[in-house]
C-alpha cells in the first residue's frame, strides 16, 4: 500500500513515516520545510533502513500538487501539514486560513482527481474549545477560541460534508491531545523554531541549559496543585494511532472521529518534577500569571479509539520525559541548521538516503 504523507518531515509526521516504513508501506512525503527539516527523514531512513520518497511541495501550489498526485497515485493520504501556533494564528489569521484550510482544499481536489479517497487528518483537541465537561468525548460539542482552532474545526466540517456527499470517501479525524516525547533512539524529536510555545519542549530546553527557567502560567487553577492539567501523549503512541486509523478505513467508508489521548492528565508541576528527576538536572521555575485562553484542565476519553481501532496509548509520563530527554540531550539545539532551500528533489532524496 502506498501512503502519501503531507508534513512528513515534521514532529508527528516523521515518527509516523518511521512506523509506516517499518511496517512495509511505500511512503511518499510532501513537505515545504516551513517548520521542519529533511534531516529528520535522513535520520528516519538511517533508523529503519528504508527511505520515503520526498517532494518539496507547498500545498498552496495546486498545480504542483496535482502533478505529484498524477504521477504517484497513492492509495491513501495522512495529512499533517499545517500551521499550529495559537498565538501566531491570532496575529495572522488570514495566513492560518489560507495555509490550513486552502491547503487542505487543494489536497482534497488533487486526491479526488486521481480517485484517492482515503484520508487520515491531524485534527486536535483544540476543537473542544473551552469545554469543561471532562473527560472529553468525541460527542462533546465543538467550538473554537482562536483562528488556529477554527481552521481545525472548519476542516473537520469540510471533511464530514465531503464524506456525506460521496460514499466513496473514507476519512478519519484524529483529535490529538498534547503530543510529546520522542523516538526511543533519541535521533528524532520535536525541534521548535525560536522560543517554544508548548510546555514540554520549553522544560526540556531549561533542563539542558538552553533556557534559564520555566514560567508556570497560573498557580491558582482548581486542579491538584493549582497548575494546568493536560493529557500528554507519547508521539510514538500517536504515530501508531494513525496506522490503526488507516487500517480501519480499509473496511469502513464515511467520516470518523477519534480522540488520541491517554485519558490521564498531568499538571505543569508534575511535568517539571518528572523532567528534573529523569534528567537529574535542576529545572528552575516561577509561577506567573495565567496565559490568556488556557483552560484549567483537559483530558480525553480514549475509549472509542480502543473499541474501534484496538489502539491505546502504552507509554506513560516517565517514558515521555525519558525519551524527550534523550533527544534533547543528544541534540541540544535540535537538528543541525543547513541550507536546503536550493536543493532539487533529486538532491533532497540523495541526501536523506545518505548518498
Ligand atoms: N504552560 C506553562 N508554561 C509554558 C507553556 C505552557 O505553564 O511555558 C502550561 C499551560 O498553561 C498549560 C500546559 O502548560 O497548562 C500545557 O500548555 P501547552 O502550550 O504545552 O499546550 P496547550 O494545552 O495549551 O496546547 C495544546 C496544543 C495546541 C492546542 C491546544 C488545545 O499545543 O495546539 O492544546 O488542544 F490548540
Amino acid at each position: 500500500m502506498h501512503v502519501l504523507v503531507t508534513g512528513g518531515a515534521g514532529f508527528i509526521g516523521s515518527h509516523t513515516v518511521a512506523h509506516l516504513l517499518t511496517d512495509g508501506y511505500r511512503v511518499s512525503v510532501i513537505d515545504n520545510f516551513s517548520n521542519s527539516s529533511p534531516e529528520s527523514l535522513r535520520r528516519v531512513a538511517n533508523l529503519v533502513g528504508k527511505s520515503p520518497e520526498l517532494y518539496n511541495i507547498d500545498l498552496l501550489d495546486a498545480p504542483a500538487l496535482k502533478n505529484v498526485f498524477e504521477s504517484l497515485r497513492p492509495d491513501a493520504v495522512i495529512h499533517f501539514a499545517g500551521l499550529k501556533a495559537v498565538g501566531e494564528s491570532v496575529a495572522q489569521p488570514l495566513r492560518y486560513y489560507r495555509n490550513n484550510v486552502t491547503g487542505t482544499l487543494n489536497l482534497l481536489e488533487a486526491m479526488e482527481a486521481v480517485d484517492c479517497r482515503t484520508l487520515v487528518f491531524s485534527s486536535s483537541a483544540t476543537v473542544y474549545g473551552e469545554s469543561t465537561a471532562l473527560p472529553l468525548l468525541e460527542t462533546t460539542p465543538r467550538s473554537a477560541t482562536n483562528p488556529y482552532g477554527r481552521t481545525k474545526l472548519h476542516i473537520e466540517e469540510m471533511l464530514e460534508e465531503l464524506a456525506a456527499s460521496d460514499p466513496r470517501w473514507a476519512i478519519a479525524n484524529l483529535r490529538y491531545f498534547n503530543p510529546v516525547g520522542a523516538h526511543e533512539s533519541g535521533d528524532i524529536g520535536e525541534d521548535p523554531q525560536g522560543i517554544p510555545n508548548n510546555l514540554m519542549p520549553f522544560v526540556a530546553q531549561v533542563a539542558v541549559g538552553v533556557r534559564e527557567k520555566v514560567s508556570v502560567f497560573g498557580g491558582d487553577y482548581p486542579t491538584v496543585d493549582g497548575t494546568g492539567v493536560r493529557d500528554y501523549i507519547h508521539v510514538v503512541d500517536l504515530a501508531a494511532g494513525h496506522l490503526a486509523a488507516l487500517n480501519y478505513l480499509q473496511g469502513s467508508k464515511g467520516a470518523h472521529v477519534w480522540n488520541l489521548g491517554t485519558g490521564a492528565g498531568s499538571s505543569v508541576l508534575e511535568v517539571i518534577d518528572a523532567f528534573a528527576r529523569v534528567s537529574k538536572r535542576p529545572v528552575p521555575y516561577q509561577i506567573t500569571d495565567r496565559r490568556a485562553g488556557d483552560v484549567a484542565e483537559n483530558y480525553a476519553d480514549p475509549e472509542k479509539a480502543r473499541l474501534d481501532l484496538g489502539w491505546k496509548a502504552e507509554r506513560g509520563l516517565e517514558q515521555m520525559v525519558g525519551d524527550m530527554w534523550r533527544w534533547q540531550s543528544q541534540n541540544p539545539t535540535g537538528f543541525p541548521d543547513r541550507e536546503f532551500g536550493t536543493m532539487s528533489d533529486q538532491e533532497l532524496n540523495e541526501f536523506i538516503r545518505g548518498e
Side-chain angles (χ1 to χ4, degrees):
M1 184 170 174
H2 181 188
V3 182
L4 185 144
V5 182
T6 76
F11 173 43
I12 308 170
S14 57
H15 288 81
T16 305
V17 168
H19 198 149
L20 287 165
L21 289 169
T22 303
D23 280 11
Y25 289 88
R26 176 181 167 197
V27 182
S28 296
V29 167
I30 64 177
D31 207 302
N32 67 359
F33 307 113
S34 68
N35 188 26
S36 65
S37 162
E39 174 70 15
S40 65
L41 295 175
R42 191 184 69 78
R43 294 190 183 190
V44 165
N46 214 24
L47 278 171
V48 304
K50 295 177 202 168
S51 322
E53 298 154 50
L54 179 55
Y55 300 85
N56 181 355
I57 291 177
D58 194 311
L59 293 184
L60 295 178
D61 186 349
L65 198 58
K66 280 225 159 90
N67 279 340
V68 89
F69 271 86
E70 292 284 351
S71 76
L72 293 175
R73 300 193 161 260
D75 301 300
V77 172
I78 304 181
H79 176 32
F80 293 105
L83 299 174
K84 63 177 186 71
V86 172
E88 189 181 67
S89 81
V90 174
Q92 305 173 16
L94 299 184
R95 183 169 162 240
Y96 269 68
Y97 287 112
R98 184 190 306 280
N99 258 279
N100 293 3
V101 180
T102 306
T104 303
L105 187 57
N106 288 344
L107 175 68
L108 295 169
E109 287 176 345
M111 290 175 69
E112 193 157 47
V114 297
D115 210 12
C116 172
R117 291 187 172 82
T118 301
L119 175 70
V120 177
F121 172 59
S122 287
S123 189
S124 165
T126 193
V127 301
Y128 295 120
E130 288 176 335
S131 178
T132 48
L134 297 174
L136 294 160
L137 281 157
E138 287 82 352
T139 49
T140 302
R142 289 177 292 192
S143 65
T145 55
N146 56 68
Y148 158 73
R150 200 160 285 107
T151 65
K152 294 291 180 190
L153 190 46
H154 282 333
I155 295 167
E156 280 201 359
E157 289 172 344
M158 181 159 75
L159 294 174
E160 286 159 7
E161 287 163 354
L162 180 62
S165 75
D166 181 339
R168 290 173 296 177
W169 281 91
I171 295 173
N173 284 318
L174 301 183
R175 294 183 184 153
Y176 312 155
F177 280 70
N178 290 52
V180 297
H183 192 271
E184 62 180 9
S185 63
D187 286 350
I188 55 171
E190 188 170 11
D191 181 17
Q193 289 178 351
I195 301 171
N197 295 308
N198 296 115
L199 177 69
M200 281 262 201
F202 200 103
V203 174
Q205 292 191 3
V206 171
V208 87
V210 174
R211 298 193 188 276
E212 194 191 333
K213 65 172 179 240
V214 183
S215 295
V216 176
F217 299 147
D220 57 354
Y221 282 111
T223 59
V224 57
D225 57 18
T227 66
V229 167
R230 294 292 182 275
D231 185 344
Y232 297 96
I233 173 169
H234 197 297
V235 63
V236 171
D237 282 329
L238 198 54
H242 291 73
L243 277 86
L246 194 57
N247 198 33
Y248 183 94
L249 295 181
Q250 301 314 300
S252 182
K253 307 282 186 203
H256 307 272
V257 57
W258 291 286
N259 282 340
L260 296 184
T262 66
S266 304
S267 74
V268 175
L269 293 183
E270 284 165 352
V271 167
I272 291 174
D273 278 355
F275 237 103
R277 213 173 335 110
V278 166
S279 68
K280 301 188 176 65
R281 301 279 185 95
V283 180
Y285 67 86
Q286 182 180 21
I287 310 256
T288 65
D289 287 346
R290 292 180 179 189
R291 181 171 66 180
D294 275 354
V295 293
E297 187 161 11
N298 91 17
Y299 52 90
D301 182 331
E303 194 57 12
K304 184 168 184 282
R306 194 182 65 78
L307 289 173
D308 293 348
L309 308 178
W311 171 92
K312 72 179 180 53
E314 307 284 350
R315 296 161 179 81
L317 186 64
E318 290 284 314
Q319 192 168 352
M320 298 178 208
V321 168
D323 289 339
M324 200 148 173
W325 176 243
R326 195 170 304 109
W327 152 253
Q328 189 72 52
S329 49
Q330 289 175 17
N331 304 273
T333 53
F335 293 118
D337 281 335
R338 297 172 63 123
E339 191 44 69
F340 293 102
T342 55
M343 281 168 86
S344 66
D345 280 348
Q346 188 184 336
E347 287 167 328
L348 282 172
N349 281 286
E350 287 168 0
F351 167 73
I352 67 171
R353 290 195 300 262
E355 291 167 5

